[in-house]
Amino acid sequence: MASTSAEIIAFVLTISGWVLVSSTLPTDYWKVSTIDGTVITTATFWANLWKTCVTDSTGVSNCKDFPSMLALDGYIQACRGLMISAVCLGFFGAIFGLVGMKCTKVGGSDQTKAKIACLAGLIFILSGLCSMTSCSLYANRITSEFFDPSFVAQKYELGAALFIGWAGASLCIIGGIIFCFSIAENSNSARRGYAYNGATSVMSSRTKVHNSVPDKTPPKHFDKNAYV
């Protein structure tokens, strides 16, 4: 029962993390910067993995898509690949996790379902690591440009999408670890059950046989000549 509850908690955590990771891919604010006037903010610059935009004080946005994938910076290409990999891995991890849970009717025996659940945990851990690496790589580029005194172009700060990506990656990793522990719990419970049942059955059978068979051995009467 405890193992089933842990698997349900792990499934909820991993699915929530996968949804957060998937939502960061089209999110606008991966990095943001503002130009303030004397009274109000005159313009807000923001960018994500697909385009860079500017929004003026009236709320009108002008965006420019990145012209070519081959002309992009290397870190943006890497972040794109890692985030798409994280989303795809999370999708397959959700399918394996649903099949490997004990509360479902598919997947075979408990040992087989435990192995499938462990595989789902490994996939979710890999998905979380991909998302964590992508967000950290993008954030490292932002901070290195922000604190570089020789960088004269527009400086940006960390956007909300990065924090959402880190949170989703953490949930995927935590849930995946719980899934991986399910195979160890299943093997330990099976080993303890086999040893206990075997010892009980042997002892009970011996006790029953000993109690059910009466001692019908006739008493032996020895004559006095037998001791001579």
Side-chain angles (χ1 to χ4, degrees):
M1 187 64 182
S3 178
T4 304
S5 302
E7 288 179 351
I8 294 175
I9 294 173
F11 187 76
V12 172
L13 290 176
T14 51
I15 292 299
S16 301
W18 177 60
V19 171
L20 290 177
V21 170
S22 301
S23 65
T24 60
L25 196 57
T27 301
D28 294 331
Y29 295 98
W30 278 65
K31 60 181 180 180
V32 61
S33 179
T34 59
I35 297 178
D36 296 329
T38 57
V39 179
I40 61 174
T41 300
T42 57
T44 301
F45 295 87
W46 52 272
N48 57 13
L49 298 178
W50 315 102
K51 59 187 176 181
T52 179
C53 301
V54 58
T55 303
D56 58 16
S57 59
T58 62
V60 178
S61 298
N62 295 318
C63 297
K64 178 182 179 182
D65 294 332
F66 293 135
S68 174
M69 185 180 68
L70 300 178
L72 287 176
D73 294 333
Y75 78 99
I76 296 181
Q77 295 183 10
C79 291
R80 280 184 179 182
L82 289 171
M83 291 302 297
I84 293 174
S85 300
V87 173
C88 295
L89 288 171
F91 174 76
F92 290 108
I95 295 176
F96 285 117
L98 189 62
V99 173
M101 294 176 65
K102 292 182 179 180
C103 57
T104 58
K105 301 298 183 181
V106 293
S109 62
D110 290 342
Q111 289 77 12
T112 303
K113 292 173 74 68
K115 293 179 181 179
I116 296 175
C118 182
L119 177 61
L122 294 176
I123 293 175
F124 274 119
I125 291 174
L126 186 59
S127 175
L129 290 177
C130 288
S131 177
M132 187 77 70
T133 304
S134 175
C135 295
S136 300
L137 181 62
Y138 200 92
N140 179 69
R141 182 61 178 261
I142 295 173
T143 54
S144 62
E145 291 178 352
F146 187 86
F147 293 106
D148 187 5
S150 61
F151 186 77
V152 295
Q154 182 70 34
K155 294 185 177 182
Y156 291 88
E157 296 181 3
L158 303 179
L162 296 178
F163 299 99
I164 297 174
W166 281 325
S170 300
L171 292 177
C172 287
I173 293 174
I174 294 172
I177 292 174
I178 298 175
F179 264 131
C180 290
F181 281 135
S182 63
I183 188 172
E185 293 178 359
N186 188 277
S187 61
N188 291 334
S189 62
R191 189 178 300 111
R192 289 196 301 268
Y194 175 78
Y196 179 77
N197 291 335
T200 303
S201 61
V202 172
M203 294 300 295
S204 60
S205 61
R206 290 180 179 178
T207 304
K208 290 180 180 179
V209 171
H210 179 75
N211 294 332
S212 61
V213 179
D215 188 8
K216 297 183 179 180
T217 304
K220 295 182 180 181
H221 301 283
F222 297 99
D223 192 45
K224 294 181 179 181
N225 298 327
Y227 299 96
V228 179

